[in-house]
Amino acid sequence: ETGVTQTPRHLVMGMTNKKSLKCEQHLGHNAMYWYKQSAKKPLELMFVYNFKEQTENNSVPSRFSPECPNSSHLFLHLHTLQPEDSALYLCASSPLSSTDTQYFGPGTRLTVL
Amino acid sequence: AQSVTQLGSHVSVSEGALVLLRCNYSSSVPPYLFWYVQYPNQGLQLLLKYTTGATLVKGINGFEAEFKKSETSFHLTKPSAHMSDAAEYFCAVSDFNAGNMLTFGGGTRLMVKP
C-alpha cells in the first residue's frame, strides 16, 4: 500500500464526454502531481500543486483541468478529449524538498474512443 | 536544463545473472538521482536514491547503484536476477534548483528468462 489511491482504475470515454479522475493521499504530504504515461514515451509531468497552489503547468491542453481542494485530494477534470489522450494517468505525492521521494498511485488507464 | 538517458529500452537476462541497467544524466548543478520500478498495472515505487554522501547506494530487493560524477552516470545493478525482478525501471534526476520536480528517463523494461 503506497498511501496514494486513484479512482477509477479504468475509464473509457467518448470524445464529447466529461469525466473526472480522483487522487487521494494519506501520507500527510504537501505536494501532489499529475503525470501522463503513454506507450513508448517518457513519463510526462502535467501539473504540480504545492500547498494546494498550482506551481507547474507543463503546457498541458486546456481540455485537462486540475483541481486541488486540499492537500490530500487532487482531481483531473477531462472534457472533449482526443484519442491521443489515451494513456495511464498517474498521481503522486511528496513532501516539498527536491530530495524527497515521490509516492505514486496505481494510475487510471484512460481510453478515449 | 536536466535530462536523463537510459540506454536500452529492453534488457533481457537469465535468472541468476547480473542485472545492469544504465542511466546517464545531465545537470548543471549537483544532482539528486532516483531509480523507480513499475510492476505491471501498478504505479512507480522507489528502489533507491542518491542525494549526498556515499556514492554507492543500496536499495530494496538487492539492488544498488553508484553515482559517478566523472561519468555522469547512475547505473543500477543486482548481482543475481530473480523472476520477480521483471518490470520497468525508471531513472530520474532532480536538483536544488528544480525544487520538487523530477525529470524521468524513458525507462528500461527488464525481462528475466528462466
Side-chain angles (χ1 to χ4, degrees):
Chain A
E1 175 59 64
T2 62
V4 180
T5 58
Q6 291 187 244
T7 55
R9 293 293 308 275
H10 301 270
L11 178 63
V12 179
M13 59 187 290
M15 289 191 285
T16 58
N17 292 156
K18 291 184 180 181
K19 296 287 184 182
S20 295
L21 310 184
K22 179 182 177 181
C23 175
E24 184 173 2
Q25 59 98 357
H26 313 273
L27 301 169
H29 291 159
N30 294 313
M32 296 188 77
Y33 314 79
W34 280 117
Y35 288 89
K36 177 182 179 182
Q37 187 176 29
S38 306
K40 301 182 180 179
K41 292 179 74 174
L43 205 61
E44 301 172 65
L45 178 65
M46 300 175 72
F47 302 104
V48 179
Y49 278 82
N50 293 333
F51 291 109
K52 305 186 298 179
E53 299 297 320
Q54 188 181 125
T55 58
E56 182 75 14
N57 176 339
N58 198 18
S59 302
V60 180
S62 60
R63 58 186 183 268
F64 295 90
S65 175
E67 178 189 5
C68 188
N70 54 61
S71 292
S72 298
H73 294 85
L74 185 64
F75 296 89
L76 189 62
H77 304 299
L78 316 171
H79 64 97
T80 59
L81 294 192
Q82 306 298 312
E84 60 264 29
D85 296 322
S86 299
L88 182 68
Y89 289 85
L90 291 164
C91 174
S93 72
S94 77
L96 282 173
S97 165
S98 50
T99 60
D100 288 321
T101 300
Q102 291 187 15
Y103 293 82
F104 285 78
T108 295
R109 174 70 62 186
L110 174 67
T111 302
V112 182
L113 301 176
Chain B
Q2 301 168 318
S3 67
V4 177
T5 301
Q6 292 183 241
L7 289 176
S9 59
H10 292 80
V11 170
S12 181
V13 301
S14 297
E15 191 173 21
L18 172 71
V19 176
L20 171 61
L21 304 183
R22 298 179 185 275
C23 172
N24 288 88
Y25 69 91
S26 68
S27 178
S28 57
V29 297
Y32 306 132
L33 296 159
F34 303 77
W35 275 101
Y36 284 84
V37 60
Q38 185 178 30
Y39 299 103
N41 301 313
Q42 295 187 29
L44 280 68
Q45 175 186 0
L46 183 75
L47 273 178
L48 49 81
K49 66 180 178 181
Y50 167 81
T51 54
T52 58
T55 57
L56 182 62
V57 181
K58 296 186 184 299
I60 62 171
N61 301 338
F63 285 93
E64 63 181 37
E66 187 170 11
F67 169 56
K68 293 187 176 181
K69 182 179 178 181
S70 61
E71 298 177 9
T72 61
S73 69
F74 191 56
H75 302 329
L76 182 71
T77 60
K78 182 174 180 178
S80 176
H82 191 272
M83 296 297 291
S84 61
D85 295 327
E88 188 148 20
Y89 292 79
F90 294 91
C91 183
V93 65
S94 181
D95 62 49
F96 180 80
N97 293 331
N100 56 329
M101 293 195 293
L102 290 173
T103 299
F104 283 89
T108 297
R109 184 167 298 280
L110 176 66
M111 295 165 283
V112 182
K113 299 175 291 187

